[in-house]
């Protein structure tokens, strides 16, 4: 029996009952890790599309497409993760439903290039429907097995199904109108959990949720490292490497390492004590995830510029880094009620990062600013231990 398996595992295998919110050793499961691994593909597709937009000078169009496609990725991952935190029975029907959702994620990933380049959402919506249909089946199963949470589960099932039908109906709209319908439907999707949990909170586990978000943060940071390393490799293979290129590579590593350091400097589970705090923290992570993945696309574009194959400005790196810093400051640091000095260093660093855009070496300068920020944050942490 594994550490995370409850003593009543046979009973749990027959019925989808809530997890214990005080359960010790509540860690991510191998199935959840597989789910995250498959989402790497979707994140990579979105980042690649953004890189191409930067490289070809279509930054505005690329940013809008990136925001739309990354929302679909993030929201599908969110729904699986929070449901699993409350009702992970780890039996055969649950595993099959999770594998179906993974299949939907891969279909979604395959549709991202079309959605990104041509705003053709057909395949992306198809993958989304596959994922959401499996999720609805899980909520209906939870409603049948958990009398206390029945109304909440039925609300989730009804809300998800309704919005899912609307997404499919959107495909019948004229192409130009689909882009206007998209934000409306995205807001409707975001509203479903708020409405569903008004009467009864699902039994999500704070420590487990914090770990799941941390793991996805590692995924998007890994995408940034991979994108930059592949770009540098391509430059070296074509003998286009220059001192500027190596300074970009070094600065990029400092940026990503510091982003990791800052995100994991404070434990998040301690302030996830209510739905209100959880909604703000969980929804706000869209900015953390999207900006972290965008840093990789920006680094790739700056590498192209350093080798004479593009004209991207340093803003494609500095802006997402600044967004990441401010989002981490609001969601991960301020809730810990740190001192005034500690509370000011991150916004100050974000301003300095934006100012680095106008220097001759924005990526190395940003890397130095981030490294100094990580060092100062570490010093404050030693002075004010948890």
């Amino acid at each position: 029996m594994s550490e995370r398996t409850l003593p009543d595992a046979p009973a749990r295998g027959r019925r989808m009952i809530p997890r214990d919110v005080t359960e010790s050793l509540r860690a991510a499961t191998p199935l959840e890790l597989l789910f995250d691994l498959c989402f790497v593909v979707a994140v990579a597709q979105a980042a690649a599309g953004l890189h191409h937009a930067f490289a070809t000078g279509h930054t505005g169009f690329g940013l809008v497409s990136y925001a739309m496609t990354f929302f679909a990725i993030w929201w599908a991952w969110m729904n699986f993760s929070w449901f699993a935190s409350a009702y992970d029975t780890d039996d055969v029907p649950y595993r099959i439903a999770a594998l179906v959702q993974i299949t939907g994620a891969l279909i979604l990933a395959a549709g991202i290039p079309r959605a990104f380049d041509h705003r053709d959402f057909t395949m992306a919506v198809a993958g989304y429907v596959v994922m959401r249909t499996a999720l609805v089946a899980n909520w209906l199963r939870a409603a049948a097995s958990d009398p206390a949470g029945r109304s909440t589960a039925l609300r989730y099932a009804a809300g998800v199904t309704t919005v899912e039908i609307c997404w499919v109906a959107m495909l019948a709209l004229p192409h130009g109108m689909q882009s206007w319908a998209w934000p409306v439907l995205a807001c409707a999707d975001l509203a479903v959990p708020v409405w569903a949990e008004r009467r009864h909170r699902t039994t999500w586990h704070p420590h487990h949720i914090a770990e799941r978000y941390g793991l996805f943060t590692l995924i998007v940071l890994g995408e940034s490292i991979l994108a930059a390393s592949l770009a540098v490799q391509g430059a070296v293979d074509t003998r286009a490497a220059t001192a500027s290129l190596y300074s970009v590579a070094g600065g990029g590593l400092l940026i990503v390492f510091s982003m990791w350091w800052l995100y994991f400097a404070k434990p998040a589970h301690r302030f996830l004590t209510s739905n209100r705090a959880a909604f703000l923290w969980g929804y706000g992570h869209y900015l953390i995830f999207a900006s972290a993945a965008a840093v990789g696309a920006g680094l790739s574009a700056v590498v192209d510029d350093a080798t004479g194959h593009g004209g991207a400005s340093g803003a494609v790196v500095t802006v997402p880094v600044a967004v990441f810093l401010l989002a981490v400051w609001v969601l991960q640091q301020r809730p810990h009620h740190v001192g005034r000095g500690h509370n000011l260093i991150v916004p100050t660093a974000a301003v300095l990062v934006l100012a680095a855009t106008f220097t001759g070496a924005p990526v190395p300068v940003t890397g130095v600013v981030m490294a100094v920020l990580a060092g100062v944050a570490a010093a404050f942490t030693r002075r004010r231990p948890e």
Side-chain angles (χ1 to χ4, degrees), residues 4 19 26-39 77-90 94-95 98-99 102 205 208-209 211-213 215-216 219:
R4 67 174 298 278
R19 299 293 295 244
R26 181 74 166 97
T29 67
L31 181 59
E32 288 174 317
L33 298 179
L34 176 63
F35 190 85
D36 290 354
L37 180 62
C38 292
F39 265 74
W77 179 88
M78 278 262 296
N79 279 264
F80 171 84
S81 298
W82 286 83
F83 180 90
S85 190
Y87 288 104
D88 177 11
T89 59
D90 200 29
Y94 178 82
R95 290 185 176 190
L99 295 176
I102 289 174
H205 193 289
H208 176 248
I209 284 294
E211 181 189 25
R212 298 290 293 119
Y213 273 70
L215 290 171
F216 201 78
I219 286 176

Side-chain angles (χ1 to χ4, degrees), residues 146-240:
D146 178 23
R150 177 179 174 81
S151 63
T152 299
L154 290 176
R155 280 179 170 232
Y156 267 110
V160 170
T161 300
T162 300
V163 179
E164 181 182 334
I165 292 172
C166 291
W167 280 110
V168 175
M170 182 197 72
L171 299 177
L173 295 175
H175 187 74
M177 292 183 63
Q178 292 184 11
S179 296
W180 293 101
W182 189 96
V184 175
L185 294 180
C187 289
D189 248 334
L190 292 172
V192 170
V194 179
W195 170 69
E197 304 225 7
R198 287 183 63 184
R199 296 182 180 178
H200 183 270
R201 166 182 154 177
T202 53
T203 55
W204 47 268
H205 193 289
H207 193 281
H208 176 248
I209 284 294
E211 181 189 25
R212 298 290 293 119
Y213 273 70
L215 290 171
F216 201 78
T217 301
L218 292 177
I219 286 176
V220 292
L221 289 178
E223 285 297 325
S224 293
I225 294 176
L226 177 61
S229 64
L230 289 177
V232 172
Q233 177 188 338
V236 172
D237 289 344
T238 57
R239 298 183 180 180

Side-chain angles (χ1 to χ4, degrees), residues 232-246 303 306-309:
V232 172
Q233 177 188 338
V236 172
D237 289 344
T238 57
R239 298 183 180 180
T242 62
S244 176
L245 172 66
Y246 289 118
V303 167
T307 56
H309 295 92

Side-chain angles (χ1 to χ4, degrees), residues 27-81:
T29 67
L31 181 59
E32 288 174 317
L33 298 179
L34 176 63
F35 190 85
D36 290 354
L37 180 62
C38 292
F39 265 74
V40 170
V41 179
V43 173
Q45 290 277 39
L50 185 59
H51 170 212
H52 179 71
F54 287 156
T56 56
H58 298 96
T59 301
F61 182 88
L63 287 173
V64 173
S65 298
Y66 177 74
M68 296 167 71
T69 54
F70 199 92
F71 173 87
I73 297 167
W74 163 77
W75 189 240
W77 179 88
M78 278 262 296
N79 279 264
F80 171 84
S81 298

Side-chain angles (χ1 to χ4, degrees), residues 105-347:
L106 296 177
I107 297 172
L108 169 64
I112 285 177
R114 292 184 184 181
F116 213 103
D117 297 333
H118 309 293
R119 301 285 169 82
D120 179 0
F121 301 108
T122 305
M123 185 171 291
V125 170
Y128 202 61
V129 167
V130 171
M131 286 187 287
R132 305 293 273 175
T133 301
L135 178 65
V136 169
N138 275 339
W139 279 118
L140 291 175
R141 188 180 173 207
S145 303
D146 178 23
R150 177 179 174 81
S151 63
T152 299
L154 290 176
R155 280 179 170 232
Y156 267 110
V160 170
T161 300
T162 300
V163 179
E164 181 182 334
I165 292 172
C166 291
W167 280 110
V168 175
M170 182 197 72
L171 299 177
L173 295 175
H175 187 74
M177 292 183 63
Q178 292 184 11
S179 296
W180 293 101
W182 189 96
V184 175
L185 294 180
C187 289
D189 248 334
L190 292 172
V192 170
V194 179
W195 170 69
E197 304 225 7
R198 287 183 63 184
R199 296 182 180 178
H200 183 270
R201 166 182 154 177
T202 53
T203 55
W204 47 268
H205 193 289
H207 193 281
H208 176 248
I209 284 294
E211 181 189 25
R212 298 290 293 119
Y213 273 70
L215 290 171
F216 201 78
T217 301
L218 292 177
I219 286 176
V220 292
L221 289 178
E223 285 297 325
S224 293
I225 294 176
L226 177 61
S229 64
L230 289 177
V232 172
Q233 177 188 338
V236 172
D237 289 344
T238 57
R239 298 183 180 180
T242 62
S244 176
L245 172 66
Y246 289 118
S247 69
V248 168
L253 284 177
L254 283 177
I255 290 170
V256 176
F257 292 164
S258 300
M259 289 167 69
W260 169 84
W261 191 293
L262 294 166
Y263 181 87
F264 291 100
K266 296 284 186 179
H269 67 274
R270 296 185 179 182
F271 55 80
L272 295 180
T273 56
S274 67
N275 269 355
R276 181 177 180 179
F279 278 128
L280 174 63
W281 185 84
Y283 284 11
H285 264 71
Y286 171 80
L287 294 175
I288 291 180
F289 295 153
S291 61
V295 168
L299 288 173
S300 296
V302 172
V303 167
D304 291 342
D305 183 57
T307 56
H309 295 92
S313 72
V316 298
V317 173
T318 58
V319 171
V321 170
V323 172
F324 178 89
L325 286 177
L326 292 174
V328 168
W329 174 60
V330 171
L331 300 175
Q332 296 284 97
Q333 294 193 3
R334 291 193 68 188
H336 285 277
H337 303 292
V338 296
R340 180 176 298 180
H342 193 182
N343 215 13
L344 291 176
I345 60 173
V346 175

Side-chain angles (χ1 to χ4, degrees), residues 338-383:
V338 296
R340 180 176 298 180
H342 193 182
N343 215 13
L344 291 176
I345 60 173
V346 175
T348 301
V351 172
L352 293 176
V353 166
L354 291 175
T357 306
F358 306 102
T359 66
V363 174
V365 171
T366 298
V368 171
V369 171
M370 292 290 287
V372 171
L373 173 61
V376 173
F380 270 102
T381 301
R382 285 195 298 269
R383 289 171 53 188

